[in-house]
Amino acid sequence: MREATDETVRRCQAFVDTRQGALKETGDLVIPLLHGIITDSDIKADRSTFADKYIQDEPMTSS
């Protein structure tokens, strides 16, 4: 099943739970991948690498 248009997928930054699952099960990504709209490298990160790549270390402060 697919909900997003090609243009939406082309313009998005895709972050997934697991790369392996996204490349097999997610219609919003699998179909555009098969049609060459996006490539595997357009998936920015999975949850195991998200924090390393996109979240900078900041000290926690109490409220």
Side-chain angles (χ1 to χ4, degrees):
M1 188 162 113
R2 184 172 177 201
E3 297 177 7
T5 66
D6 286 346
E7 184 61 21
T8 300
V9 175
R10 184 181 296 114
R11 295 176 61 194
C12 79
Q13 292 187 30
F15 296 89
V16 298
D17 285 333
T18 66
R19 203 170 277 274
Q20 182 180 22
L23 297 177
K24 292 181 181 176
E25 301 168 4
T26 309
D28 285 319
L29 296 177
V30 172
I31 295 167
L33 283 163
L34 290 173
H35 292 138
I37 304 300
I38 61 171
T39 65
D40 179 44
S41 65
D42 290 314
I43 298 172
K44 302 299 181 189
D46 60 24
R47 70 179 158 180
S48 67
T49 58
F50 178 82
D52 292 337
K53 288 184 177 183
Y54 295 96
I55 298 176
Q56 297 176 348
D57 290 333
E58 295 182 15
M60 295 184 71
T61 59
S62 58
S63 338

